[in-house]
């Protein structure tokens, strides 16, 4: 059997995608902290630039660590997504036209889809905390592991498109309809 049994083992792919998305978001905040700082300020959370960079570094560390080790480290992923959910909800309620800058984009605004993805990331991570390493089932199955990794990367890209491109597309469609 390639993946572990039980719910935690069957969620290895979504859990790794959540971890990878945290890494992408963290790198975006470290490389370009000012858009995330403006989004936090619009959400009513005035944080200094070093705090945004620090949180970005934390996202990278948590995503990489939990993605490699799994188990109880997944709770750190759940904590990050819980915090991101609360910020996204605040931004959606207080300043919905403000770009969220979550993945480094300076133009994508937060949407309800964004909140759902954050909640799903937290939920998957909580369930994954009851399993072991998401990689444990691939020992000796390098071809399957490589295919799995490609599927996880594809999932991450699809979620990134849902967060960054779909809001712009919806705005363009709404603008064209008026």
């Amino acid at each position: 059997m390639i993946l572990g049994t039980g719910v935690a083992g069957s969620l290895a792919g979504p859990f790794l995608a959540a971890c990878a998305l945290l890494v992408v978001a963290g790198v975006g905040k470290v490389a370009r902290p000012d858009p995330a700082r403006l989004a936090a300020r619009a959400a009513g959370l005035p944080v200094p630039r070093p705090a945004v960079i620090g949180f970005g570094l934390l996202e990278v560390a948590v995503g990489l660590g939990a993605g490699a080790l799994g188990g109880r480290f997944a709770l750190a992923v759940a904590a990050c997504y819980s915090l991101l959910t609360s910020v996204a909800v605040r931004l959606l309620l207080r300043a919905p036209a403000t770009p969220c800058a979550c993945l480094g984009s300076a133009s994508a605004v937060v949407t309800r889809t964004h909140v759902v993805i954050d909640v799903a990331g937290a939920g998957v991570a909580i369930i994954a905390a009851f399993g072991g390493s998401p990689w444990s089932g691939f020992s000796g199955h390098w071809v399957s592991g490589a295919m799995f990794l490609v599927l996880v990367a594809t999932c991450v890209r699809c979620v990134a498109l849902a967060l960054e491109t779909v809001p712009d597309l919806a705005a363009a469609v709404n603008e064209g309809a008026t």
Side-chain angles (χ1 to χ4, degrees):
M1 177 173 308
I2 303 245
L3 287 178
T5 59
V7 176
S10 64
L11 290 177
F15 173 66
L16 285 173
C19 289
L21 205 58
L22 268 185
V23 171
V24 170
V27 167
K29 287 177 185 77
V30 170
R32 298 183 55 214
D34 290 332
R37 185 170 170 243
L38 293 174
R41 182 174 290 155
L45 305 165
V47 294
R49 192 171 194 267
V52 172
I53 294 170
F55 185 69
L57 291 171
L58 178 69
E59 285 178 304
V60 171
V62 165
L64 290 174
L69 302 171
R72 300 289 180 231
F73 294 101
L75 294 176
V77 173
C80 284
Y81 273 104
S82 296
L83 178 62
L84 293 169
T85 300
S86 65
V87 172
V89 168
R90 287 179 64 106
L91 187 60
L92 189 61
L93 294 174
R94 293 175 69 124
T98 303
C100 70
C102 289
L103 299 177
S105 171
S107 64
V109 297
V110 70
T111 63
R112 289 182 299 234
T113 300
H114 190 128
V115 173
V116 169
I117 288 170
D118 284 346
V119 169
V124 164
I126 289 169
I127 295 168
F130 295 99
S133 169
W135 300 104
S136 61
F138 293 105
S139 178
H141 302 282
W142 67 271
V143 172
S144 298
M147 290 172 46
F148 180 73
L149 191 58
V150 167
L151 290 172
V152 167
T154 302
C155 180
V156 169
R157 184 64 184 136
C158 287
V159 170
L161 286 171
L163 293 175
E164 292 185 337
T165 307
V166 172
D168 291 340
L169 181 61
V173 168
N174 287 338
E175 189 176 292
T178 58

